[in-house]
């Protein structure tokens, strides 16, 4: 049923079981932070959309675990959004599912730094009110994305880092786990990879989700273990607002994956939103300009997913591939790893 490159979700057989398991785990749109809005459900509009990524890749990697998880998470998210769930709850929940799966470079499956230890980064942003929360260099958190949401909700600071930041997140309710929880935590020293060689590392696997809900609100979430064999203490773009994550109700929501240092230097997600806000570019054009006119000439590999306020979806990358997928009120979930989808059908043409 599922092709290796591009698959359309047919919720039958195995997929049905995966969806049921995810649905049970997700407890019907209640994110793990427990913050699922004491807000009324969204029913103002019929349009909604969700896009996800499971990391940009610079060489072919085995995606047999990732694609079904992404397809099932999209099916669940689509169901939740159609029933009026808030985009901020849905992106948190989808990323938490990816973190728990162990199949991505995030949460349980995060890859280790040069001394063999896992350090994770994550962020969420709510385009409704421009609120954000983020954590960097977390060593013992089960779900960095949940910690980011708790930081956002506490509403005092945006970014908490290191041991003391982690202690604060735990006080807010983030679940602590021993280092042995992480599959790739080996406590083994490996040579740190100089950044100019970093593109030799095919395996990224950062995860992200962006969504438009039926209230018209946009949200984004990104979570990562960072670069393989990074120097301890290195924080990439993923937890930085405007770099690896951005959402604003007047334009779009974005999540990035790729060579983080370039996303930081060029403020890739904020720049994409500004192209739309001030340059009146379309979502597709803005994303392609970032990836092909800015990053590609710098030999910086990268990918972006985005959804705009009209419900258009873009999924672009400038390297070998990107695990990606989307669903909208009109289109059932689709996922791909290499060639295939780059955007949803323009709404004006539907
Ligand atoms: N952007 C992530 C980082 O630099 C890595 C990735 O997406 O693969 O930490």
């Amino acid at each position: 049923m599922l092709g290796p490159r591009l698959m359309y979700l047919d919720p039958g057989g195995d997929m049905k079981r995966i969806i049921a398991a995810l649905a049970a785990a997700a407890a019907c749109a209640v994110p793990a932070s427990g913050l699922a809005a004491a807000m009324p459900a969204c029913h103002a509009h019929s349009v909604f959309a969700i896009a996800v990524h499971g990391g940009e890749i610079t060489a072919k990697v085995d995606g047999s675990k990732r694609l079904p998880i992404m397809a099932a998470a999209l099916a669940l998210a689509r169901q939740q959004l159609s029933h009026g769930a808030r985009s901020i709850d849905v992106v948190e929940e989808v990323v938490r599912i990816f973190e728990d799966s162990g199949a991505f470079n995030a949460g349980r499956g995060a890859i280790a730094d040069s001394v063999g230890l896992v350090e994770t980064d994550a962020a969420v942003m709510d385009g409704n009110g421009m609120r954000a929360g983020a954590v960097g260099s977390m060593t013992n958190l089960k779900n960095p994305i949940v910690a980011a949401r708790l930081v956002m909700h506490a509403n005092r600071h945006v970014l908490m880092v290191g041991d003391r930041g982690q202690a604060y997140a735990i006080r807010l309710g983030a679940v602590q786990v021993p280092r042995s929880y992480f599959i790739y935590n080996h406590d083994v020293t490996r040579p740190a990879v100089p950044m100019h060689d970093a593109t030799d590392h095919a395996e990224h696997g950062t995860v992200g989700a962006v969504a438009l809900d039926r209230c018209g609100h946009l949200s984004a979430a990104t979570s990562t273990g960072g670069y393989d064999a990074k120097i301890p203490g290195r924080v990439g773009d993923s937890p930085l607002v405007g770099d690896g994550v951005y959402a604003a109700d007047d334009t779009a929501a974005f999540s990035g994956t790729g060579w983080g240092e370039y996303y930081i230097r060029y403020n890739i997600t904020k720049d994409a939103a500004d192209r739309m806000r001030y340059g009146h570019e379309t979502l597709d054009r803005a994303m392609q300009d970032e990836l092909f006119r800015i990053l590609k000439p710098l030999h910086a590999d990268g990918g972006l997913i985005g959804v705009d306020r009209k419900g258009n979806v873009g999924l672009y990358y400038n390297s070998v591939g990107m695990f990606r997928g989307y669903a909208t009120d009109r289109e059932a979930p689709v996922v791909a790893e290499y060639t295939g989808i780059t955007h949803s059908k323009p709404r004006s043409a539907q």
Side-chain angles (χ1 to χ4, degrees):
M1 174 188 64
L2 305 172
R5 285 162 191 259
L6 176 65
M7 63 186 188
Y8 293 86
L9 181 67
D10 164 11
D14 278 356
M15 194 54 67
K16 208 167 195 170
R17 280 200 297 282
I18 295 173
I19 294 170
L22 288 180
C28 297
V30 178
S33 62
L35 298 174
M39 311 266 276
C42 289
H43 292 299
H45 309 284
S46 58
V47 175
F48 65 83
I50 166 108
V52 298
H53 70 79
E56 164 267 339
I57 43 180
T58 53
K60 291 197 174 180
V61 298
D62 176 17
S64 53
K65 281 197 193 137
R66 291 182 188 170
L67 291 173
I69 294 167
M70 290 168 62
L74 280 170
L76 179 65
R78 186 174 189 236
Q79 197 181 63
Q80 293 175 346
L81 286 166
S82 74
H83 288 131
R86 301 264 161 176
S87 58
I88 187 68
D89 294 335
V90 173
V91 295
E92 179 198 340
E93 190 53 37
V94 164
V95 168
R96 186 193 63 78
I97 288 168
F98 294 164
E99 288 179 345
D100 286 347
S101 72
F104 301 90
N105 173 20
R108 182 147 194 262
I111 50 185
D113 64 16
S114 62
V115 295
L117 299 177
V118 165
E119 286 184 47
T120 59
D121 309 326
V124 287
M125 185 157 187
D126 187 344
N128 174 26
M130 304 297 286
R131 300 199 311 152
V135 292
S137 282
M138 298 289 112
T139 53
N140 295 85
L141 292 187
K142 179 169 181 286
N143 292 112
I145 201 66
V146 171
R149 177 83 191 272
L150 289 165
V151 170
M152 180 183 108
H153 191 74
N155 209 17
R156 177 153 185 206
H157 302 303
V158 169
L159 172 61
M160 303 303 299
V161 300
D163 292 349
R164 286 166 293 171
Q166 180 169 273
Y168 175 68
I170 291 166
R171 281 205 299 283
L172 292 177
V175 173
Q176 192 174 8
V177 287
R179 280 177 177 268
S180 57
Y181 169 80
F182 301 101
I183 298 168
Y184 301 107
N185 206 101
H186 298 311
D187 281 325
V188 177
T189 302
R190 295 174 302 152
V193 180
M195 280 319 286
H196 62 268
D197 288 343
T199 48
D200 292 345
H201 282 246
E203 185 49 88
H204 300 310
T206 294
V207 300
V210 292
L212 169 73
D213 64 31
R214 293 183 58 192
C215 287
H217 297 317
L218 288 157
S219 300
T222 308
S223 179
T224 190
Y227 254 91
D228 193 16
K230 66 189 175 186
I231 295 169
R234 178 263 189 187
V235 173
D237 60 308
S238 306
L240 303 181
V241 169
D243 301 336
V245 69
Y246 190 71
D249 274 5
D250 67 336
T251 50
F254 296 104
S255 172
T257 167
W259 195 339
E261 278 65 16
Y262 285 92
Y263 279 70
I264 296 172
R265 290 176 188 145
Y266 289 86
N267 299 142
I268 293 296
T269 55
K270 173 68 160 60
D271 208 42
D274 284 350
R275 286 175 188 278
M276 298 174 69
R277 182 177 294 122
Y278 305 118
H280 307 291
E281 288 188 15
T282 63
L283 177 82
D284 286 327
R285 174 79 200 274
M287 294 174 75
Q288 290 181 48
D289 280 352
E290 293 302 318
L291 288 165
F292 299 107
R293 292 167 71 124
I294 295 194
L295 293 175
K296 187 81 178 168
L298 298 165
H299 306 288
D301 55 294
L304 275 176
I305 55 168
V307 56
D308 71 12
R309 63 200 177 95
K310 294 181 187 146
N312 296 305
V313 173
L315 314 106
Y316 292 99
Y317 55 94
N318 66 13
S319 55
V320 171
M322 178 170 76
F323 289 91
R324 61 196 186 281
Y326 76 93
T328 71
D329 53 298
R330 299 182 188 184
E331 293 179 84
V334 183
V335 296
E337 51 189 329
Y338 307 121
T339 54
I341 48 166
T342 56
H343 54 77
S344 59
K345 276 195 207 110
R347 295 202 70 89
S348 52
Q350 286 181 40

